[in-house]
Amino acid sequence: LLTPTIAEATALGDILRTGISEYVEVVHGDFSQKRILEIWKRISLSKHPLVIVGTTLALSVQRTDIAVIILEREGSGSYNRDERPYPQGKIVAQALARSLGARYILAGVVPSIDSAARKTRGEIQDIGLSATRLLGKELTILDLREQKKEKGSWDPLVPKVLAAIRQALGEKEPVLIVAARRGLAPLTV
C-alpha cells in the first residue's frame, strides 16, 4: 500500500496495525539505513502474508508473492521525483505489479488527469466510488493547448467550458471546477 508522503505512510500503518501489528510493516525514507535494512530483512524472511505500507521506497522490498499494489492518493505529485534519475513512482509500481502478476489499484478521491483519460479510453476500469460517480456527472478532459495555438493567448475558460457553466447555472445545478496547480503555475481557477 503506497502513500505519497511519509506522514501518510506512518498514519496509515498505525491504523492498519490494530489487531494485526506483527503482520504490518511500514517502509519509508525517514528511517535510518540500519532500520530500513532490518525491516527489509523481516519482510523477506516472513513466511506469513504481510501488509506493507510505505512511500515508493516500499517497492524495493524483496518479495515475489505480492498480490496487490495499491497507490493511495494516486493523483499526488509526490510520486514523482524532481531529482535524478527522475523516477515516476506510479510507473514503477505499475511495472512491478505487471511483472509479479499482482493487481494494481489506483485509489484517491479525485483521479489524476492521466487516470481519468485512461478510464475514458477503456484502459482501466473504475471499481469504486470515484468523484465523478459520486457527482453523477461525466468527466470531460479538454486539451487547451490547441486554443493557445489558434489565438496566441491562453484563456482557461474556453467557449465550451463557459457554455457548460452557463447551462448548469441556468438549470440551477451546482458547478465545481477542479484545476490542478503545479509548482509556479501562473493561474489558478
Side-chain angles (χ1 to χ4, degrees):
L1 178 57
L2 300 179
T3 64
T5 66
I6 291 169
E8 288 170 295
T10 303
L12 198 51
D14 290 345
I15 292 167
L16 294 173
R17 279 194 175 104
T18 305
I20 57 168
S21 61
E22 64 269 22
Y23 303 118
V24 176
E25 293 288 352
V26 176
V27 181
H28 57 68
D30 206 27
F31 293 141
S32 68
Q33 282 189 335
K34 181 179 178 185
R35 184 162 177 202
I36 290 171
L37 289 173
E38 290 169 358
I39 294 168
W40 278 342
K41 187 175 182 179
R42 278 197 313 268
I43 290 170
S44 64
L45 295 177
S46 177
K47 303 290 186 212
H48 195 280
L50 299 173
V51 176
I52 302 167
V53 181
T55 58
T56 52
L57 181 63
L59 295 171
S60 64
V61 301
Q62 299 296 309
R63 296 278 300 224
T64 58
D65 61 345
I66 295 173
V68 179
I69 296 177
I70 301 171
L71 214 70
E72 181 60 39
R73 275 200 332 114
E74 64 95 9
S76 172
S78 297
Y79 288 113
N80 304 327
R81 291 282 190 226
D82 294 334
E83 44 195 52
R84 289 182 188 244
Y86 307 110
Q88 304 286 319
K90 286 172 66 171
I91 295 170
V92 173
Q94 184 176 13
L96 180 62
R98 188 177 296 124
S99 72
L100 295 172
R103 289 188 70 191
Y104 179 62
I105 299 173
L106 301 171
V109 175
V110 177
S112 65
I113 291 173
D114 62 309
S115 294
R118 289 177 64 200
K119 180 180 178 275
T120 301
R121 291 190 303 262
E123 296 172 13
I124 59 176
Q125 62 183 345
D126 189 356
I127 61 171
L129 292 174
S130 71
T132 54
R133 234 185 189 175
L134 290 172
L135 295 172
K137 302 294 178 189
E138 284 294 314
L139 176 66
T140 303
I141 299 171
L142 299 174
D143 186 349
L144 300 179
R145 294 175 292 193
E146 293 302 316
Q147 181 212 6
K148 186 175 181 181
K149 290 177 189 172
E150 293 171 11
K151 291 175 114 178
S153 65
W154 186 78
D155 184 357
L157 298 177
V158 295
K160 190 173 183 176
V161 173
L162 287 172
I165 292 171
R166 285 187 185 106
Q167 179 183 350
L169 293 175
E171 296 171 7
K172 304 240 187 272
E173 289 187 31
V175 174
L176 173 65
I177 298 175
V178 179
R181 176 169 160 68
R182 297 189 51 105
L184 300 175
L187 177 70
T188 300
V189 176

